[in-house]
């Protein structure tokens, strides 16, 4: 397994801010940048830096881009205040936290992922170990946990925090036990109960759908990405979302760019949208146009009545974070409101930037 700072999620090196400094090695004209979903700007895990700040500092200090990004998302994974990622992430319907993650390393064209792994707070590091130490791309379930144990990761009995367990109990209370008679209705009743808790302000959209995606490029033009999540809150045990699936929750082409997502994973899986977006970059589209085109594909392919709102448009949120090989970037979202932001860190420091929406109004109108 990774050792030292990266393994603990603590940023390596000095805690000083590197913003405003010239990149360590400037052999191309690329301006280094790190982008992430909005939680990449909000969670500090008791420290002084966010995900994007940590990742940016490390990659401009010369650390491998993927190791830098993973050190960034480790802050979210290890902090129970981020209720959609890692330790304290939303558990499945049985109250068990099952985590998904994948990562891609553009320069070496390598990737790794884990799905429905239990007991390990930092699934992104296990995904990285799959990439580094195996010939495979994706390990799942109990075997992924065993792999992690064998690689030296600590495996905990339970990754719930007090808050994630309280919310799960409330969700259970809201389910009509009668629905258990019909597995299909039961699954939908569970989803409805979750949406009701969101409407009642008991869980945020972020924590319900979870996930952090983080992508970066250094001055040498090396592009990497990582996505990590506890998945959809109170999902059916064993459900794997888009996050660990290459092409869906994340795709990196070392020559053209990276895209990753947060939001309703099933919609993304159907379209392998991160792959589509990176292909759009390859064809010369800007990050914004490439991302909006991916959202348009999801909209076109969303035809089931239960997934549509009263306007006949997708009744769910989904966002993509897109970075090209020139260091240009965009965040796009099916819908956006004043809280819809994504994180960006450059030599000027970190900020939240507005997501570009495909559609007006909101998902549930
Ligand atoms: N996008 C996260 C999930 O659906 O699991």
């Amino acid at each position: 397994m990774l050792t030292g700072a990266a393994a603990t999620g603590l940023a390596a090196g000095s805690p000083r801010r590197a913003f405003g400094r010239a990149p360590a090695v400037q052999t191309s004209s690329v301006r280094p940048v790190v982008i992430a979903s909005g939680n990449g700007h909000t969670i500090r895990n008791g420290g002084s830096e966010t995900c994007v700040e940590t990742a940016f500092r490390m990659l401009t200090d010369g650390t491998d881009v993927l190791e830098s990004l993973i050190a960034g998302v480790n802050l979210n994974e290890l902090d129970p205040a981020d209720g959609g990622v890692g330790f304290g992430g939303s558990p499945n319907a049985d109250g068990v936290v099952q985590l998904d993650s994948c990562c891609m390393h553009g320069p070496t064209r390598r990737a790794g992922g884990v799905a429905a792994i239990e007991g390990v707070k930092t699934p992104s590091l296990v995904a990285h170990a799959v990439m580094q130490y195996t010939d495979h791309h994706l390990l799942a379930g109990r075997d992924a946990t065993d792999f992690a144990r064998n690689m030296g990761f600590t495996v905990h009995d339970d990754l719930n925090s007090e808050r994630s367990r309280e919310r799960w109990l409330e969700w259970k209370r809201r389910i009509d036990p009668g629905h258990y008679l019909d597995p299909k209705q039961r699954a939908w009743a569970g989803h409805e109960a979750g949406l009701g808790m969101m409407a009642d302000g008991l869980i945020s959209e972020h924590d319900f759908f979870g996930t952090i995606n983080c992508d970066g490029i250094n001055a040498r033009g090396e592009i990497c990405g990582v996505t990590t999540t506890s998945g959809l809150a109170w999902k059916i045990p064993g459900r794997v979302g888009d996050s660990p699936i290459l092409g869906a929750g994340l795709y990196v082409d070392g020559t053209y760019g990276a895209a990753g997502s947060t939001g309703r994973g099933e919609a993304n899986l159907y379209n392998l949208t991160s792959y589509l977006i990176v292909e759009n970059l390859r064809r010369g589209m800007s990050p914004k146009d490439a991302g909006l085109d991916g959202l348009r594909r999801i909209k076109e392919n969303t035809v089931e009545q239960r997934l549509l709102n009263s306007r006949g448009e997708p009744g769910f949120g989904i966002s993509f974070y897109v970075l090209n090989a020139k260091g240009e970037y965009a965040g796009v979202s099916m819908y956006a409101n004043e809280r819809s932001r994504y994180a960006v860190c450059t030599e000027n420091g970190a900020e939240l930037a507005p997501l570009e929406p495909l559609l007006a109004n909101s998902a549930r109108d």
Side-chain angles (χ1 to χ4, degrees):
M1 65 176 283
L2 290 177
T3 54
T8 60
L10 296 175
S14 125
R16 72 188 151 63
R17 301 272 171 118
F19 307 135
R21 291 192 324 119
V25 182
Q26 182 79 58
T27 56
S28 78
S29 60
V30 178
R31 176 183 175 231
V33 62
V34 173
I35 62 172
S37 40
N39 46 341
H41 186 74
T42 49
I43 299 288
R44 292 179 193 278
N45 196 15
S48 60
E49 288 182 331
T50 62
C51 164
V52 291
E53 288 170 338
T54 297
F56 185 83
R57 175 178 51 74
M58 289 177 69
L59 70 79
T60 52
D61 277 351
T63 303
D64 174 74
V65 176
L66 184 54
E67 287 189 25
S68 305
L69 302 177
I70 289 175
V73 300
N74 287 165
L75 292 175
N76 293 61
E77 291 176 322
L78 291 167
D79 190 344
D82 191 328
V85 175
F87 171 54
S90 297
N92 65 21
D94 288 346
V96 177
V97 178
Q98 286 184 331
L99 304 170
D100 298 334
S101 181
C102 76
C103 62
M104 291 187 82
H105 193 264
T108 56
R109 265 73 172 169
R110 286 165 63 192
V114 286
I117 187 172
E118 295 176 17
V120 183
K121 293 181 176 180
T122 53
S124 62
L125 282 170
V126 187
H128 194 230
V130 171
M131 183 192 102
Q132 282 183 300
Y133 300 114
T134 81
D135 182 39
H136 309 311
H137 277 179
L138 183 60
L139 299 180
R142 186 179 306 165
D143 293 315
T145 306
D146 287 345
F147 169 79
R149 185 183 291 105
N150 292 340
M151 295 302 289
F153 287 85
T154 302
V155 177
H156 301 267
D157 286 341
D158 182 9
L159 292 185
N160 274 289
S161 64
E162 210 172 308
R163 187 174 70 140
S164 67
R165 192 184 309 286
E166 268 169 22
R167 285 170 168 177
W168 172 76
L169 275 171
E170 174 62 23
W171 178 79
K172 278 294 213 194
R173 276 184 215 114
R174 290 182 180 219
I175 295 177
D176 178 354
H179 285 112
Y180 282 91
L181 298 175
D182 178 337
K184 284 186 190 152
Q185 283 183 25
R186 174 208 168 271
W188 192 244
H191 191 68
E192 291 280 283
L195 294 179
M197 285 174 63
M198 231 196 287
D200 291 348
L202 291 170
I203 185 168
S204 67
E205 184 162 343
H206 164 69
D207 286 359
F208 188 64
F209 290 108
T211 315
I212 181 167
N213 163 250
C214 186
D215 313 290
I217 186 166
N218 65 9
R220 288 189 292 273
E222 294 169 337
I223 310 163
C224 297
V226 59
T227 300
T228 177
T229 188
S230 53
L232 184 67
W234 317 307
K235 60 198 173 186
I236 293 175
R239 177 264 191 190
V240 172
D242 57 332
S243 299
I245 306 298
L246 307 181
L250 175 71
Y251 195 73
V252 178
D253 182 309
T255 307
Y256 295 99
S261 83
T262 58
R264 182 178 158 79
E266 282 72 8
N268 186 11
L269 280 166
Y270 191 78
N271 298 282
L272 291 180
T273 321
S274 291
Y275 181 75
L276 173 66
I277 291 170
V278 173
E279 281 300 293
N280 285 340
L281 296 178
R282 181 195 288 268
R283 286 197 288 269
M285 280 191 193
S286 70
K288 180 177 138 189
D289 289 346
L292 289 174
D293 183 65
L295 289 168
R296 228 170 268 121
R297 180 70 63 88
I298 290 176
K299 178 174 177 288
E300 277 166 27
N301 278 327
T302 302
V303 294
E304 278 188 80
Q305 195 60 36
R306 70 189 175 93
L307 297 175
L308 300 174
N309 60 23
S310 60
R311 295 188 310 281
E313 292 172 341
F316 52 82
I318 185 159
S319 303
F320 291 91
Y321 314 93
V322 190
L323 173 65
N324 72 13
K326 294 184 209 155
E328 298 164 337
Y329 53 85
V332 298
S333 192
M334 190 66 80
Y335 301 94
N337 56 38
E338 67 284 353
R339 295 187 310 280
S340 306
R341 301 274 191 272
Y342 71 107
V344 178
C345 193
T346 66
E347 74 274 19
N348 298 322
E351 61 172 355
L352 283 174
L355 290 165
E356 188 72 33
L358 178 70
L359 301 173
N361 302 311
S362 78
R364 278 171 284 283
D365 283 347

